[in-house]
Amino acid sequence: MGARRIYRSISTPIVLGSVAVALTIFLLVGWIIVVLRYMELARGFAANTWLLVAGLVSFAVVLLVVVLFAVFLVREILEVRRQITFIDSVTHELKTPLASLKLCLETMARPEISDDQRGALQRMMRGDVDRLTTFIDDVLETSRLAHGRRAYALGEVHLPDLLHDAVDELARHYQLDPASVAITVEGDERVVTDAAALATVVKNLVDNGIKYSNRPVRVVVNARVEPQRLVLEVRDTGIGIAPKHIKRVFERFYRAPTEAVYARAGSGLGLFVVWSLVRGLGGQLEAFSEGSDRGTLMRVELPVGAAAGKG
């Protein structure tokens, strides 16, 4: 019930703000009409022009404060709404692997379990631990980025190795054939950038491409090195993004409110992390999609070489 009240209450500050603005304008216009109609009163004010000016300025300030207050209140309510969605996602992201770990431990305690079965259970447990670690890393990285505490260390990066390492890790996590993610590198294979940040960007974009695709998964990663610029494109054939949501997918905690999205685990942090890292490196991030079930293209442009870190 609490969540529902918060979702409905967004109309309250909008209505109150609109009424306050309308009332302020009405008083201002009414005051001017009264002064114009009663010239004697107007002549009395003429000797005290500063009073009239002060009154106009005061009304303008009140009007501005009311508008700013209404905008601030609406933004806060929207932020609370996103945080509620995030908490729901966090609950799922934590509960599912923990329940799996508990089940695996209870199963391994049985004396009749064979060594092969124990090995399979251990692999499942490692996968669940990796999932928890990734999720916690995303939360911590989000906190650092939101408060501007992320430091960037530039160095030479071998692109093919970085891309293949990221894809292999995700393929193991999702139990996919690495060939499900095609990788191409055009131009120079070595660039100067932040290796850890670029690896995080690649992992999050490819992870989204896999997560929001139906089987069989098909994701294409293309890296193209141009003079002082790296263009990285990650394309999938998944559920796509509706045009009305595409501009908001990089917001913290935001997940498109569709059944196809909510059917998949997620926290609404991955693309925010990518956007923040790309911006911190002086680059740009764009999302393209023709709509539902039409796939998605994520394009990253980063300065590299002598231009790296300038933005």
Side-chain angles (χ1 to χ4, degrees):
M1 291 296 291
R4 291 179 182 174
R5 282 197 294 271
I6 290 173
Y7 270 72
R8 288 198 300 264
S9 65
I10 190 172
S11 61
T12 303
I14 294 176
V15 172
L16 291 178
S18 301
V19 170
V21 170
L23 182 59
T24 304
I25 294 174
F26 173 76
L27 290 174
L28 180 59
V29 173
W31 184 21
I32 294 172
I33 292 174
V34 168
V35 171
L36 291 176
R37 282 190 177 181
Y38 298 95
M39 298 308 296
E40 290 294 328
L41 181 62
R43 281 192 290 273
F45 274 118
N48 298 282
T49 307
W50 66 270
L51 186 61
L52 181 60
V53 172
L56 290 171
V57 171
S58 299
F59 266 110
V61 170
V62 170
L63 184 61
L64 179 62
V65 169
V66 169
V67 170
L68 291 177
F69 174 75
V71 171
F72 171 78
L73 197 56
V74 169
R75 286 182 176 176
E76 287 299 306
I77 291 172
L78 291 174
E79 182 68 12
V80 170
R81 179 183 295 183
R82 286 192 291 267
Q83 288 179 1
I84 289 174
T85 303
F86 170 69
I87 291 171
D88 290 342
S89 300
V90 166
T91 302
H92 182 269
E93 285 290 307
L94 294 177
K95 190 174 182 179
T96 302
L98 287 174
S100 176
L101 286 169
K102 181 180 178 181
L103 180 61
C104 287
L105 288 170
E106 291 174 347
T107 305
M108 289 178 67
R110 297 178 181 176
E112 67 272 16
I113 296 297
S114 66
D115 290 340
D116 289 342
Q117 290 173 322
R118 288 182 189 277
L121 290 170
Q122 287 174 350
R123 287 191 293 273
M124 289 176 60
M125 292 171 69
R126 279 196 294 269
D128 289 328
V129 170
D130 288 342
R131 177 176 173 179
L132 284 171
T133 302
T134 301
F135 174 70
I136 293 170
D137 286 345
D138 277 348
V139 173
L140 294 175
E141 185 73 359
T142 299
S143 178
R144 286 193 293 267
L145 292 168
H147 294 88
R149 297 197 297 265
R150 178 61 157 84
Y152 296 92
L154 301 181
E156 190 175 82
V157 177
H158 187 258
L159 271 177
D161 287 349
L162 185 145
L163 295 176
H164 282 96
D165 288 347
V167 168
D168 289 346
E169 181 180 329
L170 290 169
R172 288 193 300 271
H173 174 73
Y174 286 102
Q175 298 181 351
L176 291 174
D177 182 349
S180 300
V181 182
I183 299 173
T184 59
V185 178
E186 303 174 25
D188 195 346
E189 293 186 347
R190 296 185 181 276
V191 297
V192 175
T193 187
D194 185 303
L198 182 58
T200 301
V201 167
V202 173
K203 287 178 185 177
N204 276 286
L205 292 181
V206 176
D207 181 80
N208 265 22
I210 295 172
K211 184 190 302 179
Y212 295 106
S213 292
N214 297 318
R215 297 298 189 269
V217 172
R218 183 62 180 170
V219 177
V220 177
V221 180
N222 176 253
R224 186 172 68 255
V225 181
E226 301 174 354
Q228 297 191 339
R229 185 177 72 155
L230 166 63
V231 179
L232 176 70
E233 294 182 340
V234 178
R235 184 188 299 273
D236 65 64
T237 57
I239 64 174
I241 307 171
K244 62 181 178 181
H245 300 304
I246 204 161
K247 290 185 178 180
R248 300 192 60 193
V249 294
F250 303 124
E251 294 179 11
R252 184 171 48 165
F253 305 133
Y254 185 79
R255 302 188 76 205
T258 63
E259 217 173 290
V261 171
Y262 287 143
R264 293 160 168 85
S267 61
L269 295 179
L271 288 180
F272 171 78
V273 168
V274 172
W275 177 81
S276 299
L277 289 173
V278 170
R279 185 183 62 170
L281 289 168
Q284 295 181 335
L285 172 64
E286 294 180 283
F288 303 91
S289 179
E290 296 180 1
S292 299
D293 299 319
R294 302 294 296 274
T296 303
L297 169 66
M298 293 288 178
R299 176 179 294 142
V300 175
E301 295 186 11
L302 288 178
V304 295
K310 297 179 182 179

